[in-house]
Amino acid sequence: AGRMSAPRTAGMQGAIAGQAVGFGPTDSPGSWSGAGGTPAAGATPGAAPANGPGSLSGAVGIGFRETPPHSQTMTARDALLGSSFSLTGEKDGSGGSMAFWGRAAQGSFDGREGTFSLDGTVTTGMLGADYARGRWLVGLALAQSDGEGDYRDTNIAARAASQDCPAEAAELCRGAVREGDGKVESSLTAALPYGALQVSERLRLWGAAGYGAGEVTLETAMGGSYSADTTWSMAAAGMRGGLLKPGGGGFGLSVLADALWTRTDSEKTGELAASRSETNRLRLGIEGSREFRLESGMLTPRLEFGVRHDGGDADTGFGVEVGGGVSLTARRLGLVLDVSGRALLAHEAEDFRDRGISASLTYDPDPGSKRGASFALRRNLGASATGGLDALFGAEPLSKRAGGRSDGWRAEAAWGLPAFGGRFTGSPFLAWGYSAGARDYDAGWRLEPEAPGAPDLSLALKATRREGADDSIDHGVGIDLTARW
């Protein structure tokens, strides 16, 4: 889905071990992603258009903890998961463009059937290429997944150390292991063709399919090892449309819908029974908003409604999410007040609940300029109240997200001053945050272009201090640089 909505601006960009680098479109100038410049999870390379045909950005950060002593190392897997790239070529003679991309992802799984339980992680690397021309986009992705985990059966008692057992398992027997415990490993290589059609200016249809083959291996705690071949298949389709645009004080309406089906099979061997599992997911969401022009500003209420059904052999259930909010802009006072909330009813049979509300107040008397004073205050209660239908449309089952909380306060004050002959604005800022018993203090300086014709160069310097609930203190410093041409 990210590739189908990515812009086709020529250039290259990506991240290496979480450090953003690129020659092409980047995020908005002056954006701060934290020490180290780590992109948000699930962020799509090239998700924001650039002001020009090329850009270069980078970030570096360093941190240390006062007490207790603390150190952190990065594994090869960590570096892989923080790396991605996207390379888009210039348009050819027929007006189409070719793009190559790659990224890595990691997910976790867990399940229980009676006294038997299973959990682990799956790491996937993807390489793909797609071609876009006119209203069409077609592509092919290759994926390599590797999983590992543990299984256990608490209904099987531990083998007594005194019990007789085969000579090859003597050491295991003396360790009093259970026959029902062990490890599972899997690998899968898959190909996934995908495509999208821009039916109209406001409606896009997309589809994807996939097929792969691999192997699963069980290693029992008693020393046995059993393997079987596996196959995997997938089909998905969806649509996204902005049926009405809210511009000019009107009514806005967007619709999102998709369907997903997967199946995994393992063959029968002399030691393992054959298996087949299927999952399916249906999602539908509607977003509506209305702009009311006021004498001194704008009032914009919005409403979101989404339904989701998960079926098959994994998590199942029906979920309904309702969200909404209202935004009030007072131009003369330079104030914007926004209140958002959402409530999630998921897996009604198991009574899951997930609710949240947030409110923010910003002061900027001249939104068209970065000069002068600005202030922002935000309060979150309960689960995340933002994200709208994107939260409902996450890949994770609803039951896995229920109960997450993001309570806290965040405040920031800044003052923009002319710099470098008035061509730029330099803004010192201070920020304070409080959540889950921890306090954050930030201080820094941002440099952004102001006057027409100024180089599109942005720089941010930031120092942080975090006081944890366990009396630990973390300090960090970072630099974020973005240049476009």
Side-chain angles (χ1 to χ4, degrees), residues 97-134:
S97 63
M98 192 76 181
F100 299 90
W101 59 275
R103 66 180 303 156
Q106 186 177 75
S108 61
F109 62 89
D110 64 85
R112 180 176 296 276
E113 183 75 21
T115 60
F116 180 83
S117 60
L118 171 73
D119 60 74
T121 60
V122 177
T123 303
T124 301
M126 292 173 283
L127 290 174
D130 47 51
Y131 181 80
R133 176 185 174 187

Side-chain angles (χ1 to χ4, degrees), residues 289-301:
S289 64
R290 176 68 188 270
E291 293 184 350
F292 296 93
R293 293 187 180 276
L294 306 178
E295 182 177 350
S296 60
M298 182 81 73
L299 178 67
T300 308

Side-chain angles (χ1 to χ4, degrees), residues 340-365:
S340 300
R342 73 180 185 95
L344 172 68
L345 247 83
H347 296 248
E348 71 287 352
E350 301 183 40
D351 198 31
F352 285 113
R353 296 291 186 270
D354 194 26
R355 300 183 179 93
I357 187 171
S358 69
S360 66
L361 177 67
T362 59
Y363 169 75
D364 189 349

Side-chain angles (χ1 to χ4, degrees), residues 435-441 465-474:
S435 62
R439 292 180 175 85
D440 296 284
Y441 304 90
R465 174 186 173 93
R466 182 177 181 85
E467 299 176 354
D470 57 354
D471 295 328
S472 63
I473 299 177
D474 292 290

Side-chain angles (χ1 to χ4, degrees), residues 74-357:
M74 177 174 288
T75 65
R77 175 172 292 184
D78 294 332
L80 175 65
L81 292 174
S83 300
S84 63
F85 77 90
S86 175
L87 173 62
T88 304
E90 299 283 353
K91 289 186 177 181
D92 56 25
S94 60
S97 63
M98 192 76 181
F100 299 90
W101 59 275
R103 66 180 303 156
Q106 186 177 75
S108 61
F109 62 89
D110 64 85
R112 180 176 296 276
E113 183 75 21
T115 60
F116 180 83
S117 60
L118 171 73
D119 60 74
T121 60
V122 177
T123 303
T124 301
M126 292 173 283
L127 290 174
D130 47 51
Y131 181 80
R133 176 185 174 187
R135 297 185 302 162
W136 285 94
L137 180 145
V138 292
L140 175 67
L142 301 178
Q144 175 64 43
S145 293
D146 293 290
E148 57 183 16
D150 299 288
Y151 65 89
R152 62 203 63 84
D153 192 341
T154 56
N155 192 44
I156 299 179
R159 184 184 289 270
S162 59
Q163 183 176 347
D164 294 335
C165 60
E168 61 271 16
E171 291 297 326
L172 296 173
C173 288
R174 283 194 287 270
V177 301
R178 279 194 294 258
E179 290 182 301
D181 293 357
K183 298 181 179 296
V184 58
E185 295 181 352
S186 63
S187 64
L188 178 76
T189 302
L192 300 93
Y194 57 91
L197 171 62
Q198 193 73 33
V199 178
S200 66
E201 180 184 358
R202 299 178 181 178
L203 179 63
R204 177 192 293 122
L205 304 178
W206 63 267
Y211 181 82
E215 184 181 57
V216 61
T217 300
L218 300 181
E219 296 182 356
T220 69
M222 297 302 298
S225 180
Y226 312 105
S227 298
D229 292 334
T230 60
T231 59
W232 170 85
S233 53
M234 178 272 286
M239 61 164 286
R240 181 167 190 142
L243 303 183
L244 298 172
K245 292 187 177 181
F251 181 73
L253 181 65
S254 297
V255 177
L256 302 86
D258 67 20
L260 169 70
W261 169 86
T262 71
R263 188 176 77 186
T264 306
D265 295 272
S266 67
E267 70 169 1
K268 183 180 184 302
T269 68
E271 299 86 9
L272 297 175
S275 70
R276 168 173 292 183
S277 60
E278 294 187 2
T279 65
N280 58 76
R281 185 183 66 202
L282 300 173
R283 300 182 294 191
L284 171 66
I286 300 176
E287 297 176 312
S289 64
R290 176 68 188 270
E291 293 184 350
F292 296 93
R293 293 187 180 276
L294 306 178
E295 182 177 350
S296 60
M298 182 81 73
L299 178 67
T300 308
R302 57 189 182 276
L303 180 65
E304 304 147 354
F305 177 80
V307 295
R308 168 173 172 165
H309 181 268
D310 292 282
D313 298 313
D315 273 348
T316 61
F318 178 78
V320 177
E321 180 180 66
V322 178
V326 61
S327 176
L328 175 63
T329 302
R331 295 193 184 96
R332 294 180 181 177
L333 301 177
L335 295 175
V336 177
L337 174 65
D338 187 275
V339 179
S340 300
R342 73 180 185 95
L344 172 68
L345 247 83
H347 296 248
E348 71 287 352
E350 301 183 40
D351 198 31
F352 285 113
R353 296 291 186 270
D354 194 26
R355 300 183 179 93
I357 187 171

Side-chain angles (χ1 to χ4, degrees), residues 20-39:
V21 295
F23 301 90
T26 65
D27 292 336
S28 58
S31 63
W32 184 268
S33 54
T38 305

